[in-house]
Amino acid sequence: MVRHLVGKLASRSLSIAGRWQQQQLRRLNIHEYQGAELMGKHGINVPKGVAVSSLEEIKKTIQDAFPGEKELVVKSQILAGGRGLGTFKNGFQGGVHIVKSDEVEDIARKMLGQILVTKQTGAQGKVVSKLYLCKKLSLVNEMYFAITLDRTTAGPVPIDVFKGITDEDAAKVVDGLAPKINPIAETSDDQLVAADAKLNFDDNASFRQKEIFALRDTTQEDPREVTAAKADLNYIGLDGEIGCMVNGAGLAMATMDIIKLHGGTPANFLDVGGNASENQVVEAFKILTADDKVKAILVNIFGGIMKCDVIASGIVNAAKQVALKVPVVVRLEGTNVDQGKQILKESGMTLITAEDLDDAAEKAVKAIST
């Protein structure tokens, strides 16, 4: 039975594990206009540009920053690629346009405040709150430029331009972050310009790069993840129906895998950590219950450092603050487990208890189908 279970887990868990592995690294992404300002500040040649957030700013910006320019580039600012080929939900095509200076305001009216859908945003798209007005350049050559960082040596990885990246090179940079300039362009007057760039920063650097991290645009992020980060919770939204609250990343992954094994789909990755407070548990429940897609909640706690009675008290207090309209399956084991179970029993809450992880996942999947 155990061997069969392990085999099924191995075959079914790859897709969800891969998706989580791709998303779990927290990083700061900044807008194109912010990247240009940052590069310009450090002596890199960038096109002249000004970010605007309202139609009222446009006329004065053109007069002050681009006098005599017959054409300008109008770029939507969202934290996603594929803007040029994107489509606004109002039907307007393209998030990047080269237009005559006296037509910028008309084009901007169709873009500002509208939702742009690209190959990277998903069907929900992202709101364009700013436009980046740039000087049009006459380019004679365009190239791709990137610096890939090796965390082991704390420096760049040299790549042979004739051989390309090797397996050995790839192994070195699997955890690295790569600033990308695409294109780095040669102009008709022999200037080298960073015409566009994607810059991101590892969140581990936030304590010493406060000025850069102040550039974070939380309006472009999943609001659930923003709320979770404020409560110091590790949360990643997914597309399933079973909300998960677990302590420990490994146990959280195992919980999602076994939900999949029993035919369900996890709605999130949520690790409350080993030292979560009662208030953090309450905040976690608020996030889970605010997701309309969640049809059941599975709480899976193995108390080591984390105490089961703290989790239980948090669940009870959360129930007082939010309307629990979905079934809640609870599996507690470990430190203070008897106290935790007693707190839940005396609360009068209607809960589905489980003896182990497999039992909990099976009951959660069954709960959404009844």
Side-chain angles (χ1 to χ4, degrees), residues 105-234:
E105 191 171 342
D106 290 335
I107 291 292
R109 187 173 283 107
K110 300 173 183 177
M111 301 166 72
L112 266 177
Q114 300 298 319
I115 297 175
L116 178 61
V117 179
T118 78
K119 62 184 179 181
Q120 291 187 12
T121 63
Q124 73 276 10
K126 290 183 179 290
V127 176
V128 177
S129 300
K130 285 185 181 290
L131 296 177
Y132 192 35
L133 308 185
C134 296
K135 179 180 179 180
K136 180 188 174 185
L137 301 177
S138 176
L139 306 181
V140 297
N141 191 21
E142 299 182 25
M143 297 160 283
Y144 176 90
F145 177 83
I147 300 175
T148 301
L149 303 179
D150 176 9
R151 286 179 172 169
T152 302
T153 62
V157 179
I159 304 295
D160 189 318
V161 295
F162 298 104
K163 294 180 181 178
I165 189 167
T166 64
D167 290 343
E168 182 181 357
D169 294 328
K172 290 179 181 177
V173 303
V174 66
D175 291 326
L177 300 181
K180 305 167 188 172
I181 299 176
N182 185 25
I184 184 168
E186 181 185 357
T187 66
S188 57
D189 57 350
D190 297 325
Q191 297 291 312
L192 200 60
V193 180
D196 194 358
K198 178 177 176 61
L199 304 180
N200 52 51
F201 303 86
D202 191 325
D203 270 11
N204 289 321
S206 62
F207 73 96
R208 64 172 177 265
Q209 301 289 353
K210 297 186 184 302
E211 184 178 349
I212 290 177
F213 278 78
L215 300 175
R216 175 168 256 140
D217 183 358
T218 56
T219 66
Q220 293 281 308
E221 300 178 17
D222 186 326
R224 299 169 300 177
E225 295 181 16
V226 174
T227 301
K230 290 179 181 178
D232 200 23
L233 297 168
N234 297 311

Side-chain angles (χ1 to χ4, degrees), residues 274-275 302-307 335:
N275 295 301
F302 187 86
I305 301 173
M306 186 71 251
K307 297 179 176 61
T335 306

Side-chain angles (χ1 to χ4, degrees), residues 82-95 115-118:
R83 294 170 297 164
L85 297 176
T87 302
F88 287 89
K89 287 196 173 182
N90 62 8
F92 186 60
Q93 297 290 319
I115 297 175
L116 178 61
V117 179
T118 78

